[in-house]
């Protein structure tokens, strides 16, 4: 029994007069996702939030709980018309967060711990607007995926495989990218003064784009060989997909990138003739890659 994507949703911050909110964007993407699936919030059994950057550098409580409240997912599981509890949690691994949540979802759905899993991924500049910080690379936007079990054993996600960038491609999943911490996002306490809640520093090593592309390429090649994928008939969704229909002029997608790539792949007119499945690949800040294949039910 496979795990499939029931629906996907997105949201972008477009109102320059109000500060961006990761909770608000994640909730909007989640509601868009549920509306596309024609399901009520009570249908969600587990919510995993994977966003990294939040308004005012908020870290507690778990943002997932705030998103759950904003969406209205089983806020009172006794009084709800369909009594059920929803378990929500944050899972943070930078750009690979969505695929890490997919792996967790496979375990939860395979064991019937939940019927449906909702993944939300939202990043916003702590100061409320990415467009005002020329040194911050990410857009204020969000994505959401709703996952559930499928009766089709050939549909859904394949194995999730992780690659650590400290050695050549090998059975233990290591890839050589000249060992480094490629991207760092942190609050510089030595210079923040009284503005720490609205500041963030994101630094990338020289050659970031080249190494990201190289690591993603090596991971895709290894995954395809290991699991017998024909790359000529596989649509690869890479670390930096285009965001159709969303204004991302203020930056690039971050944790929501796999969701945007999935929606773009579905929109391609020639998809049924050329591609048998999708292959997601992400590269996290610590120079580690994650890959997972996916075959929709109606492919």
């Amino acid at each position: 029994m496979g795990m499939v994507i029931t629906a996907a949703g997105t949201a972008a911050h477009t109102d320059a007069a109000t500060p961006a909110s990761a909770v608000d964007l994640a909730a909007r993407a989640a509601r868009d996702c549920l509306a596309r699936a024609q399901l009520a919030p009570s249908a969600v059994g587990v919510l995993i939030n994977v966003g990294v950057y939040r308004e005012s550098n908020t870290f507690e409580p778990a943002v997932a709980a705030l998103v759950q409240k904003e969406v209205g997912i089983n806020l009172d599981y006794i009084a709800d018309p369909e009594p059920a509890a929803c378990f929500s949690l944050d899972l943070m691994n930078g750009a690979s967060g969505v695929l890490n949540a997919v792996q967790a979802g496979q375990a939860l759905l395979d064991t019937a711990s939940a019927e449906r899993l909702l993944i939300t991924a939202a990043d916003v500049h702590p100061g409320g607007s990415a467009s005002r910080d020329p040194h911050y690379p990410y857009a204020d936007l969000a994505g959401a995926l709703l996952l559930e079990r499928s009766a089709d054993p050939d549909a859904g996600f394949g194995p999730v495989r992780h690659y650590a960038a400290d050695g050549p491609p090998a059975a233990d999943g290591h890839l050589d990218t000249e060992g480094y911490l490629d991207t760092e996002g942190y609050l510089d306490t030595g210079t923040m003064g009284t503005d720490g809640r609205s500041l963030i520093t994101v630094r990338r090593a020289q050659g970031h784009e080249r190494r990201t592309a190289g690591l993603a390429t090596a991971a895709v090649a290894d995954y395809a060989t290991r699991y017998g994928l024909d790359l000529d008939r596989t649509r690869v969704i890479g670390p930096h997909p285009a965001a159709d229909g969303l204004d991302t002029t203020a930056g690039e997608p971050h944790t929501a990138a796999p969701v945007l790539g999935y929606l773009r792949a579905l929109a391609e007119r020639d998809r049924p003739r050329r591609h048998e499945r999708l292959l997601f690949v992400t590269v996290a800040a610590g120079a580690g890659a994650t890959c997972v294949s996916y075959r929709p039910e109606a492919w």
Side-chain angles (χ1 to χ4, degrees):
M1 183 173 290
M3 182 179 75
V4 296
I5 300 172
T6 305
T10 57
H13 179 61
T14 57
D15 184 1
T18 61
S21 163
V23 174
D24 174 67
L25 284 180
R28 283 169 50 198
R31 286 192 291 266
D32 180 33
C33 188
L34 290 169
R36 292 171 184 268
Q38 299 183 330
L39 290 171
S42 58
V44 177
V46 177
L47 187 153
I48 300 180
N49 179 69
V50 303
V52 174
Y53 298 101
R54 296 95 179 261
E55 62 269 27
S56 302
N57 284 318
T58 300
F59 282 93
E60 292 183 348
V63 172
L66 303 179
V67 175
Q68 178 184 351
K69 179 179 179 181
E70 190 73 15
V71 180
I73 301 173
N74 295 325
L75 302 184
D76 188 334
Y77 63 86
I78 296 178
D80 193 276
E82 300 179 26
C86 176
F87 179 56
S88 58
L89 70 149
D90 285 355
L91 189 163
M92 296 173 63
N93 189 25
S96 292
V98 166
L99 301 193
N100 293 149
V102 165
Q103 186 173 25
Q106 288 176 322
L108 290 167
L109 298 187
D110 283 349
T111 58
S113 299
E115 291 297 321
R116 294 184 182 87
L117 169 76
L118 181 63
I119 301 171
T120 58
D123 294 285
V124 303
H125 189 285
S129 178
S131 62
R132 298 174 186 170
D133 186 345
H135 303 294
Y136 178 78
Y138 307 119
D140 296 328
L141 60 84
L145 292 177
L146 182 65
L147 311 180
E148 65 181 336
R149 288 178 293 172
S150 169
D152 183 352
D154 296 323
F157 287 97
V160 177
R161 185 162 181 81
H162 305 282
Y163 298 89
D166 56 5
D172 58 0
H174 286 69
L175 298 169
D176 183 12
T177 59
E178 309 166 15
Y180 65 103
L181 183 60
D182 181 79
T183 304
E184 299 176 274
Y186 61 93
L187 179 60
D188 188 348
T189 57
T191 62
M192 69 181 188
T194 59
D195 299 320
R197 296 296 298 272
S198 62
L199 300 176
I200 196 73
T201 298
V202 179
R203 300 178 67 179
R204 288 174 167 173
Q206 187 175 1
H208 160 78
E209 293 185 358
R210 174 182 59 81
R211 282 191 292 263
T212 296
L215 180 54
T217 300
V220 165
D222 179 81
Y223 191 98
T225 299
R226 189 175 300 273
Y227 298 108
L229 270 62
D230 180 355
L231 289 178
D232 289 333
R233 299 187 63 80
T234 299
R235 171 66 159 86
V236 176
I237 297 176
H240 301 300
D244 289 350
L246 293 177
D247 180 10
T248 58
T249 55
E252 66 193 46
H254 187 34
T255 57
V259 182
L260 303 179
Y262 170 74
L263 289 172
R264 182 177 177 85
L266 290 188
E268 291 181 347
R269 295 181 179 179
D270 62 346
R271 171 181 54 82
R273 296 195 301 273
R274 292 186 56 195
H275 303 131
E276 295 176 346
R277 64 186 67 226
L278 307 177
L279 178 59
F280 293 88
V281 57
T282 57
V283 178
T290 303
C291 280
V292 63
S293 61
Y294 180 73
R295 179 181 176 274
E297 288 178 301
W299 203 254

